[in-house]
């Protein structure tokens, strides 16, 4: 007699919701530090979460917007001092 755990379909949805929240948090954090890395990660996670049908589309859209804002902030600072790094 084999005892196996029942398969649940909730895991995939929960992972997708986690991606939406993670994209929001990383996008927000990327406005302050490491925006060259955190911006694209936030964009990627938000896109995957939206594509998979997250229950939190608002967070995913915010993460997507913040990821784009991260890259725009980086672009503004690059144009301001002609270097890839920036400081306050």
């Amino acid at each position: 007699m084999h005892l196996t755990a029942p398969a649940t379909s909730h895991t995939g949805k929960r992972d997708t919701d986690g991606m939406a929240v993670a994209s929001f948090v990383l996008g927000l954090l990327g406005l302050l530090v490491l925006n060259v890395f955190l911006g694209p990660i936030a964009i990627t996670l938000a896109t995957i979460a939206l594509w998979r049908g997250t229950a939190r589309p608002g967070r995913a859209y915010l993460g997507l917007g913040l990821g784009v804002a991260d890259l725009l902030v980086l672009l503004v600072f690059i144009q301001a001092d002609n270097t890839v790094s920036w400081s306050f």
Side-chain angles (χ1 to χ4, degrees):
M1 181 159 141
H2 287 120
L3 295 176
T4 59
T8 61
S9 63
H10 301 294
T11 304
K13 191 63 108 170
R14 191 172 24 181
D15 290 345
T16 305
D17 294 346
M19 284 183 203
V21 173
S23 71
F24 172 71
V25 171
L26 292 176
L28 194 60
L29 185 61
L31 289 174
L32 302 174
V33 294
L34 297 173
N35 50 3
V36 71
F37 298 112
L38 296 180
I41 293 171
I43 292 169
T44 303
L45 287 174
T47 303
I48 292 171
L50 289 169
W51 183 68
R52 290 185 179 176
T54 181
R56 297 176 183 225
R59 296 268 166 90
Y61 283 120
L62 282 172
L64 185 64
L66 286 169
V68 170
D70 292 346
L71 297 179
L72 290 176
V73 166
L74 179 65
L75 184 65
V76 166
F77 280 111
I78 287 173
Q79 292 296 320
D81 63 0
N82 295 321
T83 64
V84 176
S85 63
W86 57 272
S87 61
F88 291 106

